[in-house]
Amino acid sequence: MRKPVVIPGRRTQGMAVIIVLTLMLGLVVSVFYQGSAAVLGPQEIKYKVVLDAGHGGYDPGAITKQGIYEKEINLEMAKRIKELLGPAGIEISLTREEDIDYVPEGVRGRQSKKRADLNHRISLATQAEADALISLHLNATPSGRNTGAETFYHFQSEPGKLLAETIQQELIKVPGMNRRIAKPGDFYLIKNSPMPAVIVELGYISNPKEFAKLQQPWYQDQLAQAVAKGVANYFGLP
C-alpha cells in the first residue's frame, strides 16, 4: 500500500485558517452584542424620577448674611443626585437646570406667583410620567441653632411616606447628622402631586457651621449619595 504523501505546512495552514475564522466570528459576535446592548440600554430604565431644585428665578429661598441664596445650593444638589441615579436604571429629569422660575407674565401677589410656579413643576412631573417627585430645599430659622436634614411627605400618601422614610433613613447615616424621622406635612407641592412626592430639607442654611459644610463639595457629595441611596432603596434597586 502506498504511504500517504504529507505535504509540509498544509495542515498548519489549515489550522491557521480555522483560528483566524474563529477569531473573526468572535469579533463579529462581540460587536453585535455590544451594539445590541447599546440599543437596548434605554429600554432597561425601570423608573422615572423628577428632581425639583426648590425656588429659582425671582424666588431666592432663604438668604444667608453672606448673600448666598438657597436656590443656588438646591440646584447644585439636584445635579449631583441626578449623576448618581442615572446609572442605577432611573431616568432623571430636573424641573430646572438654571436659575429660572415658572411664573407667567402678569401674575401678581406672593401666593399667586408661588402657586403658579409650583403648579408648573407638578405639571412637568406629570408630563414626564414620573414615579416620584423629589423637591430639594434648605431650611432656615431665626435663631440659627437648628441643624440637620428633614424629609416631609403628605400625610394622606402612603407611598409618599415610604419614599420619605427611605430617604431619611439614609440621610441620618451622614456623619454628624441629627437622627430625625420623616414627618407628615401639608405643603402645596406634595399635597397636589399625583405621584408620590416628598420635600427634602438637606440642612439649615441659617446655622453657620452647617452652612459652611453645605457649601463644601465633599459634604454635598455625602448628602447626594444619601438621597440617591434612599431613592434606589424605595424602588428596590441595588
Side-chain angles (χ1 to χ4, degrees), residues 82-112:
K82 179 181 179 180
E83 290 180 1
L84 293 171
L85 283 176
I90 300 176
E91 181 179 308
I92 302 297
S93 301
L94 301 184
T95 57
R96 65 182 182 94
E97 299 193 41
E98 54 185 328
D99 184 18
I100 59 174
D101 61 71
Y102 296 106
V103 179
E105 187 176 351
V107 175
R108 297 288 183 269
R110 182 173 179 272
Q111 290 298 327
S112 296

Side-chain angles (χ1 to χ4, degrees), residues 127-183:
Q127 292 172 15
E129 298 181 342
D131 297 294
L133 171 59
I134 300 169
S135 188
L136 304 171
H137 292 262
L138 296 175
N139 228 328
T141 57
S143 69
R145 289 193 295 267
N146 296 54
T147 62
E150 299 176 90
T151 308
F152 295 91
Y153 60 91
H154 192 255
F155 62 91
Q156 293 181 327
S157 173
E158 285 300 320
K161 179 181 180 181
L162 178 59
L163 176 59
E165 289 175 343
T166 55
I167 292 174
Q168 188 65 23
Q169 285 169 4
E170 294 301 320
L171 281 170
I172 63 175
K173 295 178 184 179
V174 174
M177 185 68 70
N178 287 354
R179 298 186 62 82
R180 291 191 175 94
I181 61 173
K183 301 175 183 178

Side-chain angles (χ1 to χ4, degrees), residues 193-211:
S193 297
M195 71 287 298
V198 297
I199 290 177
V200 182
E201 301 278 0
L202 292 164
Y204 280 78
I205 199 172
S206 55
N207 182 279
K209 290 184 178 179
E210 190 155 76
F211 170 60

Side-chain angles (χ1 to χ4, degrees), residues 46-97:
K46 298 179 180 179
Y47 302 101
K48 297 179 181 180
V49 170
V50 169
L51 294 175
D52 172 47
H55 307 286
Y58 85 95
D59 179 11
I63 306 174
T64 69
K65 295 179 180 179
Q66 296 82 2
I68 303 298
Y69 297 155
E70 174 194 347
K71 64 179 181 179
E72 298 170 353
I73 300 178
N74 292 344
L75 181 57
E76 176 61 27
M77 291 303 305
K79 292 179 178 179
R80 287 177 183 268
I81 296 169
K82 179 181 179 180
E83 290 180 1
L84 293 171
L85 283 176
I90 300 176
E91 181 179 308
I92 302 297
S93 301
L94 301 184
T95 57
R96 65 182 182 94
E97 299 193 41

